C-alpha cells in the first residue's frame, strides 16, 4: 500500500511539472509571436520604402535610357548581337530565329508604375518577310492568384509560320518541331498559379541581366574570338611539342641500334 501511495505522489508531481512547463512554453511562444509580428511590420515598411526609391530612380534612369537608345540605334544589329552573345539567351535562338532577329531594331523593358505589380518587355522590328507586326510586347502582371501573362499575337506571313516553335510549310504540313525557339517562349501566355513557380527565367534574364548593360554581351563576341585565337595558338604549340618529342624518340631509337 505504501508503495502504491508513493507511486501516485510521483505521478501527481510529474503532472504538475508538465503543466508548469506547458504554461511556460505557451507564454514563450506568445512572446515570440509578438516579436515576429513586429519584425513583419518593419519588413513591410522597408519594402514600401524600397519600392518608393525604385520608382524614384526609374524616373531618373529614363532620360539616360533614352540617350542610350539613340546611340544603340546607330549600331547595326546591336540587340540581335547582344542577345545572341548572352550565354543563356543565345541558346534560345534557333537558326530561323536568328534570321528574324536581324530585323530587330530595339528592345525595351518597362516596370509598372508601382514597380511591384509587373513589367513589360517590348521587341521592335523593322518591316520583315516573317510577320506583320513591327512591335511585339510581352507583359507580366503579378496578381494575388498568380502571374497573368499577355503577349502580342503574331500574324505570320505565308509559309513563314513559326507558331509555338514549329515551322509550317506553305502546304500546311509540319516540319520537324524546333526543340527551342524564342517565339515559342514569347507566345506562351499560360497563367502561372501561386503554387507554381511564378518566375519566368527568360523574362528575368532579359529584364535583370541583358537590359541593364547590353554592351557587356555585345562585346562578348570579340572576347570569344580572342579566346579562340589563344586556344588555337595553344593547340599549335602542343602539336609542335608533340612533334619534337617524336623526333627525340626516333633519335634515341637510332642511338640504341648503333650501340648494338
Amino acid at each position: 500500500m505504501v508503495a502504491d501511495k508513493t507511486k501516485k505522489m510521483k505521478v501527481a508531481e510529474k503532472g504538475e511539472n508538465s503543466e508548469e512547463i506547458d504554461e511556460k512554453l505557451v507564454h514563450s511562444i506568445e512572446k515570440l509571436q509578438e516579436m515576429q509580428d513586429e519584425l513583419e511590420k518593419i519588413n513591410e515598411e522597408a519594402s514600401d520604402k524600397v519600392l518608393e526609391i525604385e520608382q524614384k530612380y526609374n524616373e531618373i534612369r529614363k532620360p539616360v535610357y533614352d540617350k542610350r537608345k539613340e546611340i544603340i540605334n546607330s549600331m547595326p544589329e546591336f540587340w540581335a548581337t547582344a542577345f545572341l552573345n548572352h550565354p543563356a539567351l543565345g541558346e534560345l535562338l534557333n537558326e530561323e530565329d536568328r534570321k528574324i532577329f536581324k530585323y530587330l531594331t530595339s528592345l525595351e523593358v518597362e516596370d509598372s508604375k508601382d514597380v511591384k505589380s509587373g513589367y513589360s518587355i517590348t521587341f521592335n522590328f523593322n518591316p520583315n518577310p516573317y510577320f506583320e507586326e513591327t512591335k511585339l510586347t510581352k507583359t507580366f502582371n503579378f496578381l494575388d492568384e498568380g502571374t497573368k501573362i499577355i503577349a502580342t499575337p503574331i500574324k505570320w506571313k505565308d509559309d513563314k509560320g513559326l507558331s509555338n516553335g514549329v515551322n509550317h510549310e506553305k502546304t500546311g504540313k509540319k516540319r520537324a518541331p524546333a526543340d527551342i525557339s524564342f517565339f515559342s517562349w514569347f507566345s506562351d501566355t499560360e497563367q502561372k498559379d501561386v503554387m507554381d513557380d511564378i518566375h519566368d527565367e527568360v523574362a528575368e534574364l532579359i529584364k535583370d541581366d541583358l537590359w541593364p548593360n547590353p554592351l557587356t554581351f555585345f562585346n562578348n563576341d570579340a572576347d570569344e574570338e580572342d579566346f579562340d585565337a589563344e586556344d588555337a595558338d595553344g593547340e599549335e604549340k602542343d602539336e609542335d611539342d608533340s612533334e619534337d618529342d617524336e623526333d627525340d624518340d626516333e633519335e634515341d631509337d637510332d642511338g640504341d641500334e648503333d650501340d648494338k
Side-chain angles (χ1 to χ4, degrees), residues 51-52 54-55 58 111-118 142:
L51 288 174
E52 288 177 11
E54 188 65 27
Q55 286 174 315
N58 275 348
D111 285 310
S112 58
K113 288 186 177 181
D114 64 355
V115 179
K116 64 181 180 180
S117 63
F142 303 141

Side-chain angles (χ1 to χ4, degrees), residues 65-224:
Y65 277 135
D66 290 340
K67 291 179 181 178
R68 186 184 77 172
K69 182 179 179 180
E70 292 178 5
I71 297 172
I72 288 176
N73 286 343
S74 67
M75 304 170 69
E77 298 184 12
F78 176 89
W79 283 109
T81 302
F83 202 101
L84 185 61
N85 287 346
H86 189 284
L89 295 174
E91 295 295 322
L92 190 66
L93 300 179
N94 61 32
E95 186 177 348
E96 197 71 11
D97 293 343
R98 296 182 185 193
K99 295 177 183 177
I100 298 173
F101 259 57
K102 289 184 177 295
Y103 295 90
L104 180 66
T105 58
S106 66
L107 183 154
E108 298 171 11
V109 175
E110 185 176 1
D111 285 310
S112 58
K113 288 186 177 181
D114 64 355
V115 179
K116 64 181 180 180
S117 63
Y119 59 91
S120 64
I121 303 174
T122 299
F123 302 86
N124 294 299
F125 291 84
N126 277 327
N128 61 81
Y130 294 93
F131 45 75
E132 300 292 342
E133 295 77 18
T134 56
K135 182 178 181 178
L136 301 179
T137 300
K138 188 163 188 174
T139 304
F140 298 83
N141 297 312
F142 303 141
L143 310 174
D144 291 338
E145 61 272 18
T147 303
K148 183 179 180 182
I149 304 173
I150 303 171
T152 304
I154 302 177
K155 297 178 183 177
W156 296 97
K157 295 182 179 180
D158 290 343
D159 78 358
K160 297 296 183 182
L162 194 67
S163 176
N164 296 321
V166 178
N167 289 324
H168 296 277
E169 293 185 7
K170 199 167 186 178
T171 58
K173 295 180 181 179
K174 293 183 179 180
R175 298 178 186 172
D179 294 330
I180 301 174
S181 170
F182 165 82
F183 292 98
S184 62
W185 165 78
F186 182 86
S187 300
D188 181 11
T189 57
E190 182 178 356
Q191 180 166 327
K192 298 180 182 296
D193 297 330
V194 176
M195 296 299 292
D196 297 333
D197 182 5
I198 64 172
H199 300 288
D200 186 301
E201 184 178 359
V202 173
E204 290 183 355
L205 283 172
I206 295 172
K207 177 179 180 290
D208 300 327
D209 206 18
L210 179 65
W211 169 250
N213 189 1
L215 185 59
T216 299
F217 304 103
F218 181 80
N219 284 333
N220 266 358
D221 193 38
D223 295 339
E224 288 175 3

Side-chain angles (χ1 to χ4, degrees), residues 6-99:
T6 303
K7 187 176 181 180
K8 289 180 180 178
M9 289 176 64
K10 288 183 178 180
V11 171
E13 289 176 1
K14 187 177 180 181
E16 290 175 2
N17 291 336
S18 178
E19 289 179 4
E20 186 177 346
I21 292 173
D22 288 345
E23 288 178 3
K24 288 183 178 180
L25 181 60
V26 170
H27 181 71
S28 296
I29 291 174
E30 289 175 349
K31 286 293 184 183
L32 182 58
Q33 185 60 56
E34 289 178 8
M35 296 300 100
Q36 290 302 134
D37 291 342
E38 188 173 344
L39 285 171
E40 188 65 26
K41 183 179 179 181
I42 294 172
N43 289 338
E44 288 178 1
E45 291 177 359
S47 295
D48 291 340
K49 292 295 182 182
V50 168
L51 288 174
E52 288 177 11
I53 293 172
E54 188 65 27
Q55 286 174 315
K56 174 185 175 181
Y57 279 92
N58 275 348
E59 292 300 318
I60 295 173
R61 292 187 192 104
K62 192 175 186 308
V64 181
Y65 277 135
D66 290 340
K67 291 179 181 178
R68 186 184 77 172
K69 182 179 179 180
E70 292 178 5
I71 297 172
I72 288 176
N73 286 343
S74 67
M75 304 170 69
E77 298 184 12
F78 176 89
W79 283 109
T81 302
F83 202 101
L84 185 61
N85 287 346
H86 189 284
L89 295 174
E91 295 295 322
L92 190 66
L93 300 179
N94 61 32
E95 186 177 348
E96 197 71 11
D97 293 343
R98 296 182 185 193
K99 295 177 183 177

